[in-house]
Structure formats: C-alpha cells, structure tokens
Amino acid sequence: MDWDQRYAAEGLLWTAQPNRFLVSEVGELAPGAALDVACGEGRNAIWLATKGWRVTAVDSSAVGIQKGTELAQEAGLEIDWLVEDATTYQPEPAFDLVAVFYLHLPHDQLRSALANACAGLAVGGTLLVVGHHTDNIEKGIGGPQVPELLYRPSDITDMTGGLEIEKAEAVERPVDRSGVTGIAIDTLVRARRA
C-alpha cells in the first residue's frame, strides 16, 4: 500500500482525535518518554505530547510525518519525527511507553516490528498494541479485508515474549463511515517490561 499517496490527500486521512484506547489505557500513566510506532499523521503522538510525554513518532510515510510535523508545530509541541520502517527501526531501550496502533503487516513482518518495539521499552515500560481483530471482517466495520493482516490478542502476546501481559482482549469501537454507523472489533494488548 502506498501510504505517501494516501496521506497526500487534502486534510487528514484519519481524525485529529487520539484513539479512544490510547486515552483509556494511558491516561493514568505518569508521563515519560513515549514511542509511537506507525504514527501516521501523528494524532496519537500529538495527544501524548499535550499530556506531557516526550514523544518520538515513527512512520514509513514521509508525507504522514510531514503532516504530523505541521500539526505539532501549529500546536506549539515538540515531537521527534522520524521516517523509519517499523520492521527495521531499532530504538534504544529508553521508552516508558511504546504504542503500536493499527500496524497491519503479514505476521512475519509484524513479528519483526513488534520485536523492535519491545526492544525499545525501558524497565517498567508499557507496550500498547491495538489493531483490527480477525473477526472484524465478518462481524465488524472498516479496516483491512485481508485476513493475513489482522490478528487476535493471542497472536500479539505470542509475538511479545518476555513481557508481563496486563490485558489481552477483543474490544469494540463505534465507527461512522459515510453516514453508516457500526461497530469495529479490535485487538488490544497491554504489556509491561518487568
């Protein structure tokens, strides 16, 4: 998929609001250093920065990163924006939070991306992964329609070995697409490096 082309459209491809699960799962954590992997246009990175997090935002799309940079500048926020491929980017183990939202890759590539994300966690750091659940194709709305790109909580926990799993479940999210309201089914995994 050519994300540069998708993000080149006028306006934002996604909403400027942070993901609801980021807000609910991270809202009570003390701000520290955060890494937003596959950040897209930066909506989650920007929200984290407004809450006092020192944010590094990574995406393979230079266009998405540019949009995020502009939004952050307009809001007077400092975020470290990097154009990097999640499957090869190797962060230092310095992050109190690593967020991976809606990164949908074939499982061998996803495994590499999650290994890199986990390697970026400091001791005591939290990993939060959210993406479209495999059940979403038949029972939900939106998201990729390719089963090999979707995942169950157990798929993610299997790829994040060595972390303490705090939550691994299917969650529902209301979606409004072109005036049609429905429910999307997502996978949510929250884990911690002990």
Side-chain angles (χ1 to χ4, degrees):
M1 178 172 298
D2 186 347
W3 284 104
D4 278 342
Q5 185 176 7
R6 288 191 71 185
Y7 287 135
E10 189 173 327
L12 295 175
L13 184 59
W14 317 114
T15 175
Q17 299 302 311
N19 181 276
R20 69 178 49 236
F21 301 120
L22 178 70
V23 174
S24 65
E25 295 296 324
V26 174
E28 298 299 318
L29 296 179
L35 175 62
D36 184 1
V37 177
C39 69
E41 298 162 305
R43 66 188 182 129
N44 292 328
I46 289 169
W47 180 82
L48 287 166
T50 66
K51 299 302 178 186
W53 291 84
R54 297 178 314 280
V55 182
T56 299
V58 176
D59 200 278
S60 62
S61 169
V63 176
I65 291 290
Q66 182 58 40
K67 280 186 165 182
T69 300
E70 291 168 3
L71 290 171
Q73 287 172 344
E74 289 171 13
L77 300 170
E78 289 189 28
I79 295 173
D80 188 13
W81 299 94
L82 302 173
V83 178
E84 295 279 356
D85 183 325
T87 64
T88 58
Y89 173 64
Q90 297 183 345
E92 294 295 320
F95 294 96
D96 303 297
L97 171 67
V98 175
V100 183
F101 278 68
Y102 302 99
L103 177 60
H104 291 282
L105 300 168
H107 283 208
D108 59 334
Q109 293 176 34
L110 182 63
R111 183 177 301 281
S112 295
L114 289 178
N116 293 336
C118 291
L121 285 170
V123 173
T126 296
L127 173 72
L128 183 60
V129 179
V130 176
H132 297 288
H133 193 285
T134 53
D135 290 348
N136 196 61
I137 290 178
E138 292 184 14
K139 300 176 184 175
I141 186 171
Q145 299 298 298
V146 180
E148 295 78 22
L149 300 181
L150 307 181
Y151 38 84
R152 297 180 177 280
S154 60
D155 295 326
I156 301 303
T157 59
D158 288 348
M159 294 182 198
T160 56
L163 298 182
E164 177 184 316
I165 304 300
E166 296 178 331
K167 188 180 284 190
E169 59 192 31
V171 292
E172 294 184 349
R173 174 176 46 90
V175 175
D176 185 8
R177 297 260 181 205
S178 305
V180 176
T181 301
I183 296 294
I185 303 167
D186 290 338
T187 287
L188 185 152
V189 173
R190 179 175 151 167
R192 184 175 171 273
R193 181 173 299 289

